[in-house]
Amino acid sequence: MISTKRRLRTLVSGLSSDAHMWNLVYLQLLLEERGHQVSNLGSTTPDAEILRACRTERPDLLVISSVNGHGRLDGLRLIRALRAVPALRGLPVVIGGKLGIDGRDHAGAAAAHLTAAGYDAVFDDAAEGGPDAGLLRFETFLADLAVADPAGGRSGTRHAAGPGAAA
C-alpha cells in the first residue's frame, strides 16, 4: 500500500489568558508551509469560542499554544470541556509551549497530567531538549497524523512529549 499525506484542516489557538500572538502566527506559517489549511483563532480566545469553532469548522487537528505559562491550568480546563462534547471526543488535540510558571511544574508531570486529561500530545518547552526538540516532536506528530488512514480512524494513542518522550 502506498502511503499518502493528506492536507489537514487545522485550528490554531491561544488560551483565554494568553495574549501572545507571535507563537500562533509562527505555527500557522509552519503548518501552511507543510501544505495544511489553517484557521488561526488568535490569542485570548475563550474556551467557548474554541469549542464553537471545533464544532462548526470540523478540523482534523486543534493546536493550542501557550507562552505565558498558564497552559497547564487553562489547557486542562479546555480539554475537559472539549472532551465532554461527544462530537469532539475523537478530535486530535495537542498543546505546547510554556505550560507552567514555576519550578514545581516539571515537564514530565505536566505532560502526563495533560495527556491523561485528553490531549493527544503535549510539547512542553521545559522538556528534554527545550523548545527546538519539542518542535521536532510536533513535526513528527503532524507527519504521522497527515498520513492518510483508509479506515478514517485514528489509533487513540496519546503521546506525553515530556522529558525523553517522543510524540
Side-chain angles (χ1 to χ4, degrees):
M1 175 187 284
I2 297 174
S3 163
T4 59
K5 294 200 182 219
R6 61 189 168 113
R7 181 178 175 176
L8 299 173
R9 291 179 326 261
T10 306
L11 285 179
V12 173
S13 183
L15 294 159
S16 60
S17 70
D18 200 318
H20 296 87
M21 189 65 185
W22 64 264
N23 53 317
L24 301 173
V25 171
Y26 177 84
L27 284 168
Q28 179 177 347
L29 292 172
L30 181 131
L31 289 161
E32 288 174 345
E33 286 175 358
R34 280 142 187 83
H36 304 296
Q37 177 184 343
V38 181
S39 293
N40 189 335
L41 300 179
S43 60
T44 61
T45 308
D47 293 358
E49 176 62 19
I50 296 170
L51 293 173
R52 185 207 58 75
C54 289
R55 283 192 303 267
T56 59
E57 294 189 31
R58 308 289 297 160
D60 298 310
L61 174 65
L62 172 61
V63 178
I64 300 296
S65 180
S66 174
V67 173
N68 70 358
H70 296 150
R72 183 176 184 180
L73 298 174
D74 290 350
L76 186 60
R77 183 189 65 243
L78 173 64
I79 197 65
R80 286 177 176 159
L82 190 135
R83 295 299 183 216
V85 177
L88 300 178
R89 286 188 186 138
L91 172 65
V93 183
V94 300
I95 187 170
K98 184 176 179 191
L99 302 178
I101 57 172
D102 62 30
R104 295 179 307 209
D105 288 330
H106 302 288
H113 191 67
L114 289 164
T115 303
Y119 282 96
D120 292 276
V122 177
F123 307 99
D124 192 338
D125 283 357
E128 184 177 321
D132 290 338
L135 185 57
L136 289 175
R137 289 188 296 267
F138 173 66
E139 291 203 54
T140 299
F141 177 89
L142 185 64
D144 290 345
L145 187 62
V147 173
D149 178 0
R154 53 185 263 259
S155 69
T157 302
R158 300 201 191 286
H159 304 279

